[in-house]
Amino acid sequence: MTTVADLVDDLMPEVPGCPASTVRDALRWAQRELCAEGNAWIVSDGPVVVGADTPFAEVEVPSGAEALRIVSLLQSGRELKPGLDYRQTGSNGVEFLRAAPDSSTLLGSLACKPSRGRDMPPELVARWEEAIKDGARSRLLILPYPWRDPQLSEHYRRKLLDAQADARSLAASGYQSGSVRMRTRSFA
């Protein structure tokens, strides 16, 4: 499994003389950017909201992560509508606008980003390795050091933006890939 330490090793030759800690910080910045704008880290394997049947409902955030937004929220198999059934107050609070749910925990999915100084899970680092490295390159190549190259930095920034768009698209499709096949209907 690919780790951030592997990515640091990959980038070090591109920025000679740069401290490894600076490269690691750029990689962490890129992870946070990819997640914040691209929904690259969607958690859907546990409760999304706890204490839902109390006035103190909170988003359940995985260890090492910060909640960005609730992507979906289910109550008794029915999807609740944001702005109509609930609203997210800040990063961790939830307010129910109609009636309080009858269950203390609600399932669904949650978009997250790594907490400051933390990394995405290794499987996500491996999945988004090139995008994370491109984001870090864009950040490193704009620094006032001998390797500075604003044009190349802009190139890598655009690649990160493309990766964010890809991540948003994948998140919207439920991370399904492949082509959609359609059959024509004959009206005979």
Side-chain angles (χ1 to χ4, degrees):
M1 196 60 53
T2 304
T3 66
V4 172
D6 297 330
L7 303 185
V8 169
D9 291 342
D10 290 350
L11 291 180
M12 290 300 290
E14 298 179 38
V15 286
C18 183
S21 61
T22 301
V23 174
R24 187 176 44 256
D25 289 347
L27 288 163
R28 286 184 170 155
W29 172 85
Q31 290 176 69
R32 288 174 60 86
E33 283 297 302
L34 179 65
C35 290
E37 298 301 323
N39 286 350
W41 186 2
I42 303 289
V43 176
S44 57
D45 59 352
V48 172
V49 175
V50 295
D53 55 353
T54 72
F56 308 104
E58 288 187 353
V59 174
E60 180 75 10
V61 185
S63 175
E66 294 176 18
L68 291 170
R69 64 195 68 79
I70 295 172
V71 176
S72 67
L73 196 57
L74 303 171
Q75 177 184 358
S76 304
R78 180 180 73 87
E79 187 164 348
L80 300 177
K81 303 289 182 212
L84 187 61
D85 294 315
Y86 72 93
R87 73 181 176 100
Q88 192 171 347
T89 58
S91 63
N92 289 348
V94 178
E95 178 183 351
F96 291 95
L97 304 174
R98 291 184 179 195
D102 53 359
S103 175
S104 65
T105 60
L106 298 178
L107 301 177
S109 57
L110 178 69
C112 299
K113 68 180 177 181
S115 300
R116 292 199 184 277
R118 302 291 297 271
D119 296 312
M120 295 165 55
E123 62 274 7
L124 289 176
V125 171
R127 179 181 198 147
W128 297 106
E129 175 179 350
E130 285 307 311
I132 295 166
K133 288 194 300 192
D134 288 342
R137 286 178 182 116
S138 76
R139 186 92 162 180
L140 292 166
L141 292 172
I142 203 68
L143 295 175
Y145 290 105
W147 60 79
R148 180 181 172 90
D149 189 338
Q151 288 178 326
L152 196 52
S153 171
E154 179 61 19
H155 167 76
Y156 286 120
R157 187 185 73 78
R158 289 178 187 269
K159 287 182 78 170
L160 175 63
L161 292 174
D162 289 344
Q164 288 171 330
D166 290 345
R168 273 192 304 276
S169 177
L170 279 170
S173 68
Y175 289 94
Q176 297 178 22
S177 61
S179 63
V180 175
R181 292 183 155 203
M182 299 178 76
R183 289 193 304 186
T184 58
R185 262 181 23 187
S186 63
F187 297 97

